Amino acid sequence: MAPTEETVSPDADDTPTAARASAAPQDPPARMPRWLPRAMVLALALVACYRLATWAFDQLTGLLLNILIAFFLALAIEPAVDRMAARGMRRGLATGLVFLGILIGTAGFFTLLGSMLADQIMTMVADFPKYLDKVVRWVNESFHTHLSRLEIQDSLLHSDWLQSYVKNSADNVLDVSTQVLGGLFKVLTVTLFAFYFAADGPRLRRALCSVLPPTRQVEVLRAWEIAVAKTGGYIYSRGLMALISGVAHYILLESLGVPYAPALAVWVGLISQFIPTIGTYLAGALPMLIAFTVNPWYAVWVLVFVVIYQQFENYLLQPRITARTVDIHPAVSFGSVIAGTALLGAVGALIAIPATATLQAFLGAYIKRYDVTDDPRVHGRTRRRGASALARMRNALTRRS
């Protein structure tokens, strides 16, 4: 039997695979979602706004700090302005009189100190050869050297470091002048804002309350009153510590025979209390300089006293006075000063305590408190075994009877 031949259709398997694939129906191309372009534009816009806000905040940081200082200064003088306004005086005139009194007192104080400092500097310059002779004599006697004051003066005047220092100082005169003008502009800015905050206090409160519901208005006004009270208490505590510091340093300077002891005592009291961070060093430098003109060892005694008194004030005096006037725990006040310094530098150290006291008093009105149980672990009393045993026996006899 002959094998049968299979009949194959010419179109069955002769078509290439690529041709079959091209002949197959294709899927439509994937399209971009309609929301994706909008999301990308929105993300870019948000990033641009964030960068713009960051740049603007960096540029306006100095102005914002000045406004913050002016606000707390206005809170400090607002009680005086309110008393004068209650007697029929216009608030603008009352605020101007308060600032005029502050300006006259500050100008008179620094004028007195400037004249005193100029006299003492002239005295030091005139007596400098005498001091140098004493130092050279002590060095020659102690170390068996043969130094001469004239040789030392000549070497100092012709030294390279002195000439370079004078040259650099002359080159930096413009920078120093710019810094002085910048400081004066900041003082004027703070004064101007503080004047408007104090003079237009009621108007400012009305403008702030007009955009809030009645319940929020009450809270804002309560916070404002607390801020005024706490800021006034802080100023009072600083003034009290300045008085104590001035009296203590006056006794020291008067006992040493240092001239201008009352003015120096006022300088130490005010500068050390109202200039944060570096106020203590600025306050102690001037009495040391004046004491040095009387006797170099007196400057050492003043330095030792300033350091010891500063520790006494930081750890004993300031926490107790602050706790009574501002009604804030000493540990909280100390921690708030550290936190304020870390956040805002000297400005933060200056306003940290009144800001913390205001926040604590404001939040205290919304914290529900309960009666504390009569437990020795809470009130700090220790149990005595004998007393507790007697109490149990007394209770047992009472039950039997």
Side-chain angles (χ1 to χ4, degrees):
M1 182 175 179
T4 58
E5 295 183 0
E6 296 179 358
T7 60
V8 181
S9 174
D11 296 333
D13 294 325
D14 293 343
T15 306
T17 307
R20 290 199 304 269
S22 61
Q26 297 180 355
D27 296 333
R31 294 182 179 180
M32 181 183 298
R34 295 181 178 180
W35 56 266
L36 185 58
R38 298 179 181 178
M40 294 175 64
V41 172
L42 180 60
L44 293 176
L46 291 177
V47 171
C49 292
Y50 172 76
R51 296 295 299 271
L52 181 61
T54 304
W55 174 81
F57 181 79
D58 292 338
Q59 298 296 322
L60 298 176
T61 300
L63 177 61
L64 295 177
L65 290 179
N66 292 335
I67 293 175
L68 186 61
I69 297 174
F71 178 72
F72 276 94
L73 179 59
L75 292 179
I77 67 174
E78 188 168 356
V81 175
D82 289 339
R83 292 191 190 97
M84 298 174 70
R87 297 179 180 179
M89 186 179 297
R90 296 177 56 185
R91 289 189 65 89
L93 179 59
T95 307
L97 290 177
V98 172
F99 273 103
L100 182 61
I102 296 174
L103 178 62
I104 292 175
T106 304
F109 175 67
F110 280 102
T111 301
L112 176 62
L113 284 178
S115 61
M116 175 194 66
L117 185 59
D119 294 340
Q120 294 302 315
I121 289 177
M122 293 177 62
T123 303
M124 286 186 62
V125 172
D127 295 339
F128 180 75
K130 185 190 303 183
Y131 298 140
L132 189 57
D133 285 337
K134 291 181 180 180
V135 174
V136 170
R137 190 181 306 113
W138 178 79
V139 171
N140 290 333
E141 293 176 357
S142 301
F143 300 99
H144 305 287
T145 57
H146 301 282
L147 299 176
S148 174
R149 176 174 61 85
L150 297 177
E151 294 178 357
I152 295 175
Q153 287 181 350
D154 185 71
S155 61
L156 288 175
L157 293 176
H158 295 86
S159 60
D160 295 335
W161 67 268
L162 181 60
Q163 295 178 1
S164 62
Y165 176 77
V166 172
K167 182 179 179 181
N168 293 331
S169 300
D171 295 337
N172 293 331
V173 169
L174 182 60
D175 296 337
V176 174
S177 302
T178 304
Q179 292 178 0
V180 171
L181 292 177
L184 291 177
F185 180 74
K186 290 181 179 179
V187 171
L188 292 176
T189 302
V190 170
T191 304
L192 183 62
F193 275 109
F195 178 84
Y196 283 121
F197 286 154
D200 294 339
R203 186 184 305 174
L204 181 62
R205 287 189 285 270
R206 285 197 303 269
L208 184 61
C209 292
S210 63
V211 297
L212 298 174
T215 56
R216 297 297 181 184
Q217 294 179 13
V218 175
E219 295 175 0
V220 169
L221 295 177
R222 182 192 307 164
W224 196 289
E225 292 179 357
I226 292 174
V228 171
K230 296 304 179 181
T231 305
Y234 174 72
I235 298 297
Y236 171 75
S237 64
R238 286 294 176 178
L240 183 59
M241 287 189 293
L243 177 63
I244 298 174
S245 176
V247 171
H249 287 84
Y250 170 75
I251 295 174
L252 172 69
L253 298 174
E254 190 67 26
S255 63
L256 294 177
V258 178
Y260 304 102
L264 290 175
V266 174
W267 163 267
V268 173
L270 293 178
I271 299 301
S272 62
Q273 300 303 323
F274 290 98
I275 296 182
T277 308
I278 62 173
T280 302
Y281 308 103
L282 293 177
L286 184 59
M288 289 174 55
L289 180 64
I290 306 301
F292 184 83
T293 61
V294 180
N295 190 335
W297 284 107
Y298 288 174
V300 178
W301 284 109
V302 172
L303 175 62
V304 172
F305 182 82
V306 167
V307 172
I308 294 176
Y309 181 82
Q310 186 65 28
Q311 304 307 314
F312 165 75
E313 181 183 276
N314 290 339
Y315 293 102
L316 294 177
L317 186 63
Q318 179 178 351
R320 295 179 182 275
I321 293 179
T322 304
R324 293 179 179 273
T325 56
V326 192
D327 193 17
I328 186 174
H329 193 274
V332 177
S333 64
F334 184 71
S336 64
V337 171
I338 295 177
T341 305
L343 292 175
L344 299 176
V347 177
L350 183 63
I351 66 175
I353 293 179
T356 304
T358 302
L359 182 62
Q360 176 180 326
F362 183 71
L363 294 179
Y366 298 95
I367 298 177
K368 188 176 182 180
R369 298 182 181 273
Y370 301 92
D371 294 333
V372 180
T373 180
D374 190 12
D375 194 295
R377 292 170 295 182
V378 176
H379 298 280
R381 298 192 300 267
T382 58
R383 290 183 177 180
R384 292 181 295 179
R385 296 181 179 179
S388 60
L390 291 175
R392 288 196 297 269
M393 292 177 61
R394 189 183 302 110
N395 293 332
L397 292 175
T398 304
R399 295 193 197 97
R400 291 180 180 178
S401 62

